[in-house]
Amino acid sequence: IVVLYMNVASQQVSFLKKRLRRDRIARSVISVFGYIVLLTMVMIIWHLFSQAMNIAASPGVKPRQETPVLAGGEFLYVGDTANGQAAVIAGPGCSVSLARLNNGILSSRQTLRRPCSHTLDVVTSYGLPYVVDISATGQVRLLPVPTVSQPLRQSNFIDTPLANEMSFALPQEIWAQQTGWQMAVGEQWIIMQVNTPDETLVQWINRNSPTQIVRQQYSADQPMVLLPDTRQIMLINNNVLTFIDSSNQRLHQLTVAQNVRWAESIVKNRSVFVALANNTLVRLSLYNQAGILRYQPAYSIQLESNEVPVALYAHASVNGIAAITSQQQLLLINRISGEVVERRQLPVIPTGVSWFDSRVYVYGPDAYIRHEVRNMAGLSTTNSLLMPHLYEGYPAPDQIWQTSSASDYQEIKMSLVPLLIGSLKASSLALLIAIPLALGAAVYTAYFARPRVRDSIKPTIEMLEAVPSVLIGFIAAIWLAPLAERFLFSIAVFMVTLPVILLFIALVQHRVAQNVSSELQNFAEAVLPVLGIVVYGYICVAWAPDWLLAALDADDFTFFAHTTEVPVGKTTILVAIALGLAISPSIYSLAEDAISGVPHSLRQASYALGATRLQTLRRVVLKVAFPGIVAAMMLGFGRAFGETMIVLMVTGNTPIADWDLFAGLRALTANLAIELPEAEVHSIHYQVLFLTACVLFSFTFIVNTLAELLRQRSRRVKSHG
């Protein structure tokens, strides 16, 4: 017996050791995978915020390379030499040379030689440089400088097919006495200004038809800015700016605060910058008023004392402007808000500037310096992302999200306000629809329904939570949206009045249940509410719109949406209906648990004091369950705010900064789904999208955390009770 007992004990000890060993291994494996999950979440959150944090940092400008000019020459223009483009150099002698970097050394590849009586200079149009060759008799030739895709040749480039894009003549007697000139090349028109001691000649040339020439005469030494892309010129008379078109018709006049010291337009002539005597740089923005293109002040930039801009260059794809000033300063300016995000002292006296990608070239007569701009995302400031601004083409400040443009040198509008309003508008209205449905059902099943009815209804409603949101969005887009063109007003009436109808159905159902047998009571409780809702829905669809719209003197629902120009099937109300139905099961499940979890002793105590069931519900049950109900609503709101597929499929995805319920919207989630796959990696657009993702994550995290804290508090109260 002793030996048998010892064997059994030994086997038990061995079994316990194996079990403890297996438990330790399982615990270790589970812990490892748990830490892996936590580490993955931390890495995802870190990557999310690290991409967005670049916007908070200012862009840095670091000099990379200083390149001297060729012997006897002078820089007229510097292209993206680090990427193979050419620099245009005047000289030596009366020639113009095209030079490129070769192993870090600037070498001449082509030379244009002309008699010294010719005048040679460089103008740019849409980022492309042109050499302007003017003979002594006033014959003007426009010669495009070859780009990287058009390789330079060792021979004289005047003989290449790219040379001499067009030519035209100036009056010989005017050119013979010229004291200065300037040219502006637009997409369709070229404007040439020639100053003489007696007058100022302005000549318009159509690029598509060079024989179409218009000439205008003005007083001698008339300051002006040439605006070929808007077919205007801006005459400057102290602080009065007069805009005149090619037919010499005065379009409009603008008065600024101080006398104008300097003025220049950027590409496309949609913006004109004027420096005033009070050391401010004012941006004038273009807009269309009754068919006339007018300019109006957009913002002003405060410069240093006696500081005047020398040249401006707008980035082709980023809302940034590089400016050089008379005090040897390089300024990087946010094009939308006018904020100076970076200021850098220059070692050379600058005469020109160009900006390609992250490379800024500042050049003077003797050398150019290539600067590298680090953290380009810092050009997007909080002001430009959140505040209303006067965009080009808009008559008043607005908040717009429009990141795609038809061409380069176009303003990119990245205001986050329309996206925030869209998400808040859709989720808030969805909550208004979901709360009456979910709470009404939760109160019924948790408080009034018999156990058998509750056990059948609750799992059915909770199963609806498992329906994919893409399926709900598909049904809403395919079936509900076309139906809304006819019945959206009926649906709105139905949703608004449904709580009152449910209360009426409950009263009727209670009386019916009292007059039927016990076998039919469960059937009456389950069938009558559904039947009543269906009948009432039919009444709303068939009869409600007719007399309500007649009372409002409207023929159809477009009476309410005529100002938005948004299809009725793409309005916020339709999104809210689909989104409200999607979040109702989750709110119902949590609210029902909170109500049914109220201790039964509290109800019995209320009944013992003489309270009715409704009084007990209102004054005891709902008050005790209130934290859990609020938590359910907050979790539903968080889910609605983070929903993607429904708002993506049902809305027209129009980013409108408007709280109008009959207007369209674009939510943060839908915007990420639409634009993130097409955004260039590490671009400003890409990092702003990550910023919106951080806003979305932070909002839902805070809401869900508060909801969970409320749920835990509710459970503690119930356990103590």
Side-chain angles (χ1 to χ4, degrees), residues 442-443 445-447 454 458 589-607 613 615-629 711 713-721:
V443 168
T445 56
Y447 189 75
R454 177 179 182 271
K458 184 179 180 182
S589 179
L590 297 173
E592 205 275 344
D593 290 340
I595 295 172
S596 61
V598 175
H600 190 68
S601 58
L602 293 179
R603 304 185 190 183
Q604 296 300 325
S606 177
Y607 297 151
R613 296 190 70 186
Q615 290 174 333
T616 302
L617 173 67
R618 187 175 69 255
R619 299 182 180 181
V620 177
V621 176
L622 292 182
K623 285 188 176 181
V624 175
F626 182 74
I629 295 174
R711 287 184 63 192
R713 178 179 177 274
S714 176
R715 289 177 179 177
R716 287 197 300 268
V717 170
K718 293 173 186 177
S719 62
H720 291 318

Side-chain angles (χ1 to χ4, degrees), residues 274-290:
V274 293
L276 307 182
N278 58 356
N279 301 315
T280 59
L281 181 64
V282 179
R283 175 200 178 191
L284 307 179
S285 180
L286 187 74
Y287 74 103
N288 190 323
Q289 185 182 47

